[in-house]
Amino acid sequence: MEESPLPLPAGPPGIVLRSYSGSTFRFDPGALCLELLPTGGPGEFQRFEVLHAPGDLTDWAARSRLTPTPLLEVSDAEVADARRLRDALFRVTTARAHDAPADPADVATVNAAAAHAPLVPAVGPDGERSWAGTADGTRLLATVARDAVELLTGPFAHRIRACSAGDCALIYVDTSRPGRRRWCSMEHCGNRHKVRTLRARRSEEG
Ligand SMILES: [Zn+2]
């Protein structure tokens, strides 16, 4: 009898980002909705925009923590919806991280996206986890927005934080038990901080 192969272990959660210096690092923001934020953003973050065409949104879904990757058919209008939802989430979660009130218009944008039907989970033909049929971008965004509702109203809502590096705008939720996470990623800002601390100590000693 042939043994069926074990499912591949899921990779570490989070998405791979490229820093301004060109190096890549893994950033696990702790929630699906927060994984959408590094695709661009409002204001000065517009220059980081990567959601231009339907394929960009399906690429994001494939890189996100959605397992398995859903089959999607996305329209140009839904890409615009994705940018609008992302910018609203960006401002709402950044406000939350700084204990500031959210703009009601942004909250309304999140709620409107959450009101649509989400991706439908299904059991696949071989008993594996799957998604029902081919979904549109609106379902994808509803799933992201519902995740945001759960995050913003759930037990970790007070653990939504901005990276402690002054020049880093990445937002994460600290789900660790001690709750002392300070950085977007130890590989990135955590390491930069360590290098700076070491340099400061050396110049003091020197
Ligand atoms: Zn950072």
Side-chain angles (χ1 to χ4, degrees):
M1 214 176 93
E2 215 179 294
E3 270 192 51
S4 60
L6 286 168
L8 284 170
I15 49 173
V16 174
L17 299 181
R18 185 174 294 276
S19 74
Y20 42 80
S21 63
S23 59
T24 57
F25 63 99
R26 186 167 284 280
F27 168 53
D28 179 9
L32 173 69
C33 62
L34 300 179
E35 287 182 339
L36 187 61
L37 305 189
T39 59
E44 56 171 316
F45 300 99
Q46 272 172 25
R47 66 182 194 274
F48 300 116
E49 183 64 70
V50 296
L51 300 180
H52 304 287
D56 300 328
L57 189 55
T58 53
D59 280 353
W60 173 80
R63 294 193 296 124
S64 79
R65 69 218 290 132
L66 283 171
T67 312
T69 299
L71 283 174
L72 294 167
E73 254 173 41
V74 174
S75 69
D76 284 312
E78 288 170 331
V79 180
D81 290 343
R83 289 193 297 262
R84 202 170 310 123
L85 173 63
R86 184 216 39 227
D87 290 359
L89 282 173
F90 194 111
R91 287 186 290 257
V92 168
T93 55
T94 301
R96 183 64 68 94
H98 295 106
D99 288 322
D103 184 334
D106 287 330
V107 174
T109 299
V110 175
N111 287 341
H116 290 283
L119 296 171
V120 177
V123 181
D126 298 320
E128 78 283 9
R129 177 71 156 67
S130 183
W131 299 106
T134 301
D136 58 14
T138 303
R139 280 189 189 272
L140 172 68
L141 298 179
T143 300
V144 172
R146 287 170 185 227
D147 182 70
V149 171
E150 296 303 329
L151 174 65
L152 291 163
T153 62
F156 289 102
H158 66 291
R159 293 268 202 96
I160 298 170
R161 296 191 190 133
C163 178
S164 293
D167 56 354
C168 178
L170 291 174
I171 301 285
Y172 60 85
V173 55
D174 182 0
T175 54
S176 72
R177 192 199 285 257
R180 287 195 291 262
R181 180 173 169 184
R182 290 181 63 198
W183 313 108
C184 58
S185 155
M186 280 311 296
E187 283 175 80
H188 185 52
C189 288
N191 196 47
R192 290 197 300 151
H193 175 74
K194 247 192 291 184
V195 169
R196 267 199 305 269
T197 310
L198 200 67
R199 257 190 219 138
R201 199 181 301 151
R202 278 199 189 133
S203 68
E204 258 170 44
E205 284 167 357

